[in-house]
Every structure is written in C-alpha cells, then in structure tokens.
Amino acid sequence: MQGNLPPEAQDKLETLQDLQETAQEVSEQKQQTESTLTETRAALDALGDVEEGATMYREVGELLIETDYESASAKLEEKVEDLEVRAEQLDKQETKVQDKFESLQDELQQMLGGAGGPQGPAGPGGAGGA
C-alpha cells in the first residue's frame, strides 16, 4: 500500500509508525516505573512494622550493607518521591505522543480523502485505543 501513496503521505505514515513505537516504549517505561513504585511503597509500609533498633540491610549491587532505620526510611521515601515524579512525566509524555499521533492520523486521513478508517493504522494503544 505504501508504494501507491504520495511522498508526503508516505512521510506522514512513517512518522505515525515512529510515534506508535515511541508510544509503546513510553507505555512500557510507565508500567515498569509504576511497578517499581508499588514495590517501593510496599517496602516503606513494611518498614513501619520494624522496630527502630532492628538490624537492617540494604542491597547495593551484589552486596548487603548494614543500615539504620532512619537511613532506610529516608532512602525509601526519596525513592517513592522520585518514582512519582517519573511516573507523572511518563504520563504526560504518553498523552503528548497520543495527541500527536491522533492529529497526524487525522491529517493523513484528510490527505487521502477520508480513506484509512477502520483499515488504517492502529493507534499507539493498538486496537481500541489506549
């Protein structure tokens, strides 16, 4: 199909495909960040059940390093804050890519005289949208 399209339409179609890949990557990063955030919040909650004088260890690469309650709590709280900011950034980026994709898709459909409706390229979220 691409061989029969005008060059400008081919360029837009290629850009749409690139945006679809970008949307997939952002979605995967967002899911990974949200998963890590959930795990970190669970660790912070579990820390609330630990006595303040208890011996604790934190993982540093392949090593376990002894740490104290205050340090462990502070590091987990900082990690939660960082992950929340990252998740928010990824959410905004995902929305921006989706909006750009939809706009470009509309331009391409207008350029082709309304063709490409249900048979056209699937959006960044796949069939049925994000």
Side-chain angles (χ1 to χ4, degrees):
M1 177 178 159
Q2 287 185 11
N4 300 334
L5 295 177
E8 187 178 350
Q10 283 181 327
D11 290 344
K12 287 190 184 297
L13 187 57
E14 288 173 11
T15 303
L16 275 174
Q17 291 168 341
D18 290 344
L19 283 172
Q20 189 170 11
E21 289 175 21
T22 300
Q24 181 66 32
E25 291 169 6
V26 170
S27 178
E28 289 171 5
Q29 289 175 18
K30 183 179 167 187
Q31 288 175 343
Q32 184 177 12
T33 299
E34 289 173 347
S35 176
T36 303
L37 179 57
T38 299
E39 291 172 8
T40 305
R41 285 179 175 154
L44 191 56
D45 288 344
L47 189 61
D49 297 334
V50 175
E51 294 179 23
E52 288 197 29
T55 301
M56 292 186 293
Y57 299 89
R58 65 184 174 95
E59 192 173 356
V60 178
E62 297 292 321
L63 301 174
L64 292 176
I65 307 294
E66 189 171 348
T67 188
D68 58 73
Y69 183 92
E70 292 80 19
S71 177
S73 179
K75 285 198 178 294
L76 286 172
E77 288 173 4
E78 181 180 345
K79 187 173 181 178
V80 165
E81 289 174 14
D82 290 347
L83 288 167
E84 287 173 340
V85 168
R86 178 71 176 143
E88 186 177 323
Q89 290 171 338
L90 288 167
D91 190 46
K92 288 178 182 177
Q93 186 177 357
E94 187 177 49
T95 299
K96 185 177 178 181
V97 170
Q98 178 70 29
D99 291 346
K100 190 172 182 180
F101 181 93
E102 290 172 1
S103 174
L104 192 57
Q105 189 175 36
D106 289 344
E107 288 177 29
L108 183 59
Q109 287 176 353
Q110 288 176 0
M111 183 183 296
L112 299 175
Q119 308 89 303

